[in-house]
Amino acid sequence: MKYDITFIGGGPGGYVAAIKASLEGLKVALVEKKKVGGTCLHAGCIPTKTLLSGTDIIRTLKIAKDFGINVSDFSFDYSKMKLRKDAVVETLWKGVTGLLKAHKVDVYHGHGSFVSPTQIKVLGTDTTLIETKNVVIATGSVAASIPICGVDGKIIHDSTTILQMTALPKKLIILGAGYIGCEFASLFSELNVNVSMVEFLPGIVWTQGKSISKMLTDAFLKKKIELLCNVKAQECKTTESSVELSLSNGSKVHGDMLLVSVGRKPYTKDLNLNAAGIATDEHGFITVDNKMRTSVPGVFAIGDVTGLSMLAHTASHQGIIAAEVVAGKNVTMQYDSIPAVIFTHPEIATVGLSLAQAKEKGFQADSAIFPLTALGKARAANDTEGQVEIISERTTGRILGAFMVGHDAGNLIAEMTLAISNELTLECISETIHAHPTLSEAWMEAAQIAQGHPIHLPPRR
Ligand code: FAD
C-alpha cells in the first residue's frame, strides 16, 4: 500500500494527527500494536480521572452534613468503581475506533518498525509492508523502573498495573512524588488507604516550584498522607502480602503494596530507528525541531517519545502541526502556553511562566494573588481552599503566566491559556464581565489587584 503519511502509534498524538492529516486531504495509515487511544485512554488520563471522579462524590458525601443534608451511612465498592472505569475507557475506545474509520484512516493492527524512511513493516494481526512518503513516530512512553523494585503486578505495581487492581490495599507506599504519584496518593487516600510517599527530591511535585509543592504538601498532610522526602529507596523486600522499603536515612517503610512512579521513558523498542538513521538524545527521546521534523527528511516525531512536555494535549497539538507541515502549511509548534493540570485534591493548574521563571527570562514581572475564600461562589459551594495567581509584565500588563490551586482549577485555567496564547493584558481580563457568582471571577479580581484597584480585597497600602 502507498500512503502520503503513516503514523506509528495511535495514542492522542497519533490518532488525532491521523484524523487531521485525512482532513488535509492526505492518504493516511496508522499502525497500532495494542489499542488506539494509547496510554492516555487505556492507562493514563482517562482511567485515573474516572476513578478520581468517584472520590469527588465520596468527598461531597463526607461534608454533606455541613450543608444540612443528613447522609446516615454510605460505603463504596472499589471493584465496581474499577468496572465503571473500564466501561468509560471501552466507550471512548469505540468512539476513537469509529472516528478513524469515518475519517478514512487505514488502521493496521501490529507492531510497526522501519525498513527504511519510506517503508514500514507491520507484524501482528495485520502483517504487511507499507510504502509511504512520510512517517510520524508517535510511539509514546512507558513507566520507568528502578532495579531494586521489580514490578510483579501484585505487591509491586507501576501506574499501568495498579489500574487493573480490583481490591484496595490497607497501606500503600508510593515511590516517586511527581504528578502521577501525587494523583494516585490523592485518589487512594480518599478511598481510606493509608498512603506513604517516598521522594528523592526535597518535596512533592518539586519540579512545579516551591510554592505549589508547599500548598500540596499542606493539603496532603491534612489528609494524613505520610511524606518522606529527601530520601532514596535503597532496598526493597517483599513477602506474599507485604513490602518493606529501606531508605537512605536508615529508616524502613512498610506496606502491603508499592507503586513505583519514578517517571516515564521514551518507547522506541524494536522500532529499528537505526534503519532510518533517526537521531535521539542521551535519554533516548527522539530529537525534533519546531515543525516536529526529526534528523531524517520525511520522518517526524510527536508526543511523549519527543520528551518535550509529555502531556496528551501536547502530543495532539504536535501531531496537528506535523500533519499540517506534511500538507504544505508553514506552521510551528509553540510551547509557551501549554496548560498543565495535576488532578489532586486540591486541583492544581499552571500555564506559562511562574514569577521566578519570568524574572529569569529578563522580564520586569509582578504577580497578583486572589484567595478563593473571598469569592461568593467558593463560599456557597464550600470550595474555599486555594487561590489564583497572575504573573504579568510590569510595563505592558501582558499576562505571562498563571496558576490556580483549588476546585476545578483544570477547567478554569483555560481562560489564562487563551489570554497567554493571544498575548492579552491584565486590562483585557479585568474589563471582561465575568458571570456572578462563579469561580472564574477570581481571575478578574486578580487582574484588578495587579492593576492596583482591587474591589473585593482592601487596597494595598
Ligand atoms: P501514547 O499515548 O503512549 O501512545 C503511543 C501508542 O503507540 C500506544 O498505543 C502504543 O501501543 C503504540 N506503539 C508503540 N510502539 C509501537 C510500534 N512499534 N508499533 C505500533 N504501535 C506502537 N496527560 C495529560 O495530558 N493529562 C492527564 O491527566 C494525564 N494523566 C496521566 C496519568 C497517568 C497514570 C499516565 C501514565 C500518564 C498521564 N498523562 C496525562 C500523560 C499522557 O498519557 C501522555 O502524555 C500521552 O498518552 C502521550 O501520547 P502519545 O500519543 O505520545 O503516546
Side-chain angles (χ1 to χ4, degrees):
M1 291 297 291
K2 284 208 181 251
Y3 290 94
D4 294 318
I5 188 166
T6 298
F7 293 86
I8 311 180
Y15 93 76
V16 168
I19 291 173
K20 181 67 183 169
S22 177
L23 289 170
E24 292 288 339
L26 302 172
K27 186 161 170 52
V28 188
L30 186 151
V31 186
E32 171 55 57
K33 64 192 283 180
K34 290 183 186 160
K35 283 181 159 184
V36 291
T39 305
C40 178
L41 176 52
H42 299 282
C45 328
I46 299 298
T48 51
K49 272 84 244 181
T50 305
L51 290 170
L52 281 161
S53 297
T55 61
D56 287 345
I57 295 172
I58 292 175
R59 218 171 20 252
T60 304
L61 288 170
K62 282 181 186 166
I63 59 162
K65 67 174 183 317
D66 300 343
F67 289 72
I69 298 163
N70 297 322
V71 179
S72 53
D73 198 13
F74 74 90
S75 62
F76 59 84
D77 179 339
Y78 185 73
S79 64
K80 289 193 179 149
M81 290 175 74
K82 188 223 172 242
L83 283 179
R84 177 177 178 273
K85 180 263 291 175
D86 292 343
V88 169
V89 170
E90 175 90 0
T91 303
L92 290 171
W93 168 66
K94 284 184 182 154
V96 173
T97 305
L99 276 175
L100 286 164
K101 201 171 169 196
H103 284 278
K104 300 194 176 6
V105 173
D106 289 348
V107 177
Y108 292 88
H109 299 277
H111 178 96
S113 62
F114 282 94
V115 175
S116 75
T118 56
Q119 290 175 309
I120 301 299
K121 181 168 76 182
V122 183
L123 275 181
T125 314
D126 300 315
T127 292
T128 188
L129 182 73
I130 294 175
E131 304 273 352
T132 181
K133 289 183 195 154
N134 298 277
V135 180
V136 180
I137 306 168
T139 49
S141 64
V142 285
S145 54
I146 55 168
I148 58 161
C149 305
V151 170
D152 60 15
K154 286 180 189 147
I155 302 289
I156 304 185
H157 287 275
D158 63 18
S159 65
T160 302
T161 63
I162 203 160
L163 290 168
Q164 295 315 317
M165 168 182 91
T166 50
L168 291 169
K170 285 196 172 61
K171 170 90 198 278
L172 174 69
I173 306 169
I174 301 181
L175 181 54
Y179 89 90
I180 292 176
C182 285
E183 286 185 359
F184 278 112
S186 202
L187 167 70
F188 290 122
S189 78
E190 298 282 357
L191 297 175
N192 303 332
V193 175
N194 193 340
V195 177
S196 294
M197 303 194 80
V198 176
E199 170 58 53
F200 173 61
L201 292 170
I204 61 173
V205 289
W206 192 246
T207 53
Q208 303 290 322
K210 274 189 196 163
S211 76
I212 290 181
S213 175
K214 162 106 182 48
M215 278 184 224
L216 197 58
T217 299
D218 292 347
F220 273 14
L221 291 176
K222 270 195 219 154
K223 292 179 198 294
K224 309 230 176 319
I225 296 174
E226 184 184 29
L227 302 176
L228 305 162
C229 296
N230 256 326
V231 282
K232 208 173 161 183
Q234 287 184 321
E235 199 189 354
C236 176
K237 285 187 193 154
T238 55
T239 66
E240 279 289 289
S241 57
S242 71
V243 52
E244 178 191 270
L245 211 56
S246 304
L247 307 180
S248 52
N249 61 4
S251 67
K252 292 185 194 313
V253 52
H254 297 92
D256 45 5
M257 193 178 280
L258 170 72
L259 168 63
V260 181
S261 177
V262 292
R264 312 270 306 166
K265 58 179 186 186
Y267 187 68
T268 52
K269 193 167 179 265
D270 299 329
L271 204 49
N272 203 14
L273 290 177
N274 288 343
I278 296 156
T280 56
D281 70 11
E282 69 273 26
H283 306 291
F285 290 107
I286 298 176
T287 45
V288 286
D289 65 8
N290 62 9
K291 291 183 183 292
M292 311 321 300
R293 297 177 295 206
T294 67
S295 55
V296 175
V299 181
F300 297 71
I302 59 170
D304 279 12
V305 78
T306 67
L308 288 174
S309 127
M310 303 194 73
L311 291 168
H313 42 280
T314 306
S316 300
H317 201 77
Q318 288 175 324
I320 287 170
I321 296 290
E324 290 184 337
V325 169
V326 170
K329 292 190 175 160
N330 184 17
V331 288
T332 52
M333 179 70 198
Q334 306 294 332
Y335 293 91
D336 48 11
S337 55
I338 297 177
V341 183
I342 306 178
F343 293 87
T344 44
H345 182 256
E347 206 161 283
I348 297 169
T350 60
V351 62
L353 302 174
S354 66
L355 184 60
Q357 287 167 335
K359 287 184 175 168
E360 265 167 38
K361 282 187 179 273
F363 285 106
Q364 273 197 310
D366 293 311
S367 94
I369 292 174
F370 186 78
L372 298 186
T373 41
L375 271 188
K377 173 65 181 184
R379 289 270 166 198
N382 204 12
D383 280 326
T384 51
E385 187 177 12
Q387 62 182 43
V388 304
E389 177 174 355
I390 299 182
I391 294 94
S392 59
E393 191 177 26
R394 195 168 301 159
T395 46
T396 62
R398 177 159 73 104
I399 297 172
L400 302 171
F403 94 84
M404 174 169 182
V405 175
H407 183 71
D408 223 11
N411 280 321
L412 290 158
I413 203 71
E415 181 173 343
M416 289 300 111
T417 307
L418 185 73
I420 295 170
S421 56
N422 289 283
E423 302 188 2
L424 301 188
T425 61
L426 293 168
E427 199 181 8
C428 301
I429 304 301
S430 65
E431 293 194 354
T432 296
I433 300 172
H434 288 68
H436 178 74
T438 62
L439 293 183
S440 72
E441 289 172 287
W443 297 124
M444 181 178 68
E445 299 281 352
Q448 288 166 349
I449 293 169
Q451 292 174 299
H453 49 78
I455 302 234
H456 286 100
L457 281 186
R460 278 183 188 160
R461 300 244 169 249

